[in-house]
Amino acid sequence: MWFPLKSKLRPAYRVRLQNLKPRGDWLVFVDGATGMILRKYDNLSQRTVVADLFDPNPVVTLRGTKLLLLDGEAQAVPQAAYTRVKLRDLNSGPFLDGRRVNTSLTRRRVRRTNRTFIFGDDFNSDRPAFEEVMAYYHINEAIAYLESLGYRGRRAIFTEPLPVDANGTQEDNAWYSPHERSLTFGLGGIDEAEDAEIILHELGHAIQDAICPGFGQSPQASAMGEGFGDYFAVSYFAEKRFTVC
């Protein structure tokens, strides 16, 4: 086969290997000329986990704020605001690490032995782990969507997992850092990572920087960046918005 390596194609062999202890089902790509391993991964490590999350947020899902307010005061988010989803492409470890995104920068990372995040007393939007699970799911799905459009292989926008700090600041803010190439979400006001439209807005900045490093070095370019982040988020969730509103 031909294996895409950066901007070139290499002749390669695709080899499948099984391991019993520990259990593994490896797919290994070996350079046909040098014998070097070009890429390897364990198919068994890509696991699917169930989670109850906001998709994209309670206001959209509940068709307004009526069920979120009582006499003008915020109430606990009802179960009806949650949507059951699958966290895909997770690695074999206990953390939210996958091939497109990981939450490695988040302090006191969530660690679940049963690998489920079902709505209840031990998991809801009041729990610190909720923002971390939200960030993983929505970023992974959005990048997978870009891949489905053809941005994969040597045309991939992201060549390595995007690191995320889901609870990185007490400020009412969120940002993408071009220097660190990472995303950070704040806890001020309404937790930023509880709204998937905010998550994808910040991912929009990461997409622009991946395509054109250093983009946004003028007021006009910065404004374009903010507009693109909004466009990416709203267009991605357009079907859900127009369906429920």
Side-chain angles (χ1 to χ4, degrees):
M1 62 170 292
W2 291 102
F3 185 89
L5 184 64
K6 296 183 178 179
S7 61
K8 298 181 180 180
L9 292 176
R10 296 289 303 173
Y13 295 101
R14 181 173 58 189
V15 183
R16 294 186 180 275
L17 299 171
Q18 284 189 325
N19 200 58
L20 297 181
K21 292 183 180 180
R23 186 71 180 179
D25 191 343
W26 289 88
L27 189 59
V28 183
F29 296 90
V30 181
D31 192 295
T34 67
M36 293 181 61
I37 293 178
L38 300 173
R39 184 186 177 195
K40 62 179 182 179
Y41 64 91
D42 183 2
N43 275 327
L44 293 185
S45 70
Q46 304 296 314
R47 299 190 296 174
T48 299
V49 177
V50 175
D52 291 333
L53 300 177
F54 298 153
D55 187 22
N57 57 57
V59 175
V60 171
T61 304
L62 298 176
R63 306 185 185 188
T65 60
K66 182 178 180 180
L67 298 179
L68 301 172
L69 299 173
L70 180 63
D71 297 329
E73 297 293 329
Q75 303 298 303
V77 180
Q79 186 173 357
Y82 294 77
T83 300
R84 182 152 298 180
V85 301
K86 292 181 179 180
L87 307 184
R88 302 187 298 164
D89 306 307
L90 284 163
N91 296 338
S92 58
F95 300 110
L96 295 181
D97 295 329
R99 65 185 180 89
R100 299 184 184 94
V101 58
N102 65 62
T103 60
S104 58
L105 302 180
T106 307
R107 288 167 292 184
R108 296 184 292 277
R109 300 176 70 189
V110 60
R111 182 174 184 141
R112 287 292 183 94
T113 55
N114 60 5
R115 306 296 293 177
T116 59
F117 302 94
I118 304 301
F119 176 82
D121 292 337
D122 64 338
F123 186 75
N124 55 56
S125 62
D126 292 333
R127 299 292 180 174
F130 187 79
E131 291 80 17
E132 190 178 343
V133 179
M134 280 280 294
Y136 179 89
Y137 171 74
H138 287 289
I139 294 172
N140 182 69
E141 292 299 308
I143 296 177
Y145 170 70
L146 294 176
E147 292 175 354
S148 74
L149 298 178
Y151 296 102
R152 57 183 182 273
R154 62 193 179 102
R155 293 186 177 88
I157 295 175
F158 299 103
T159 58
E160 56 187 28
L162 187 62
V164 172
D165 189 341
N167 302 303
T169 177
Q170 294 298 318
E171 300 174 10
D172 184 11
N173 200 2
W175 62 83
Y176 167 74
S177 169
H179 178 71
E180 300 291 340
R181 294 184 179 178
S182 65
L183 293 169
T184 299
F185 298 95
L187 301 174
I190 295 176
D191 299 347
E192 265 66 26
E194 289 189 13
D195 188 339
E197 292 183 315
I198 293 177
I199 293 172
L200 292 203
H201 171 94
E202 299 305 331
L203 178 60
H205 292 303
I207 292 171
Q208 284 193 315
D209 187 60
I211 295 173
C212 181
F215 182 89
Q217 298 182 34
S218 72
Q220 292 84 359
S222 295
M224 290 173 62
E226 296 303 322
F228 175 77
D230 287 344
Y231 167 77
F232 181 69
V234 172
S235 61
Y236 183 85
F237 290 116
E239 185 175 354
K240 290 185 174 65
R241 276 185 164 275
F242 292 130
T243 299
V244 301
C245 293

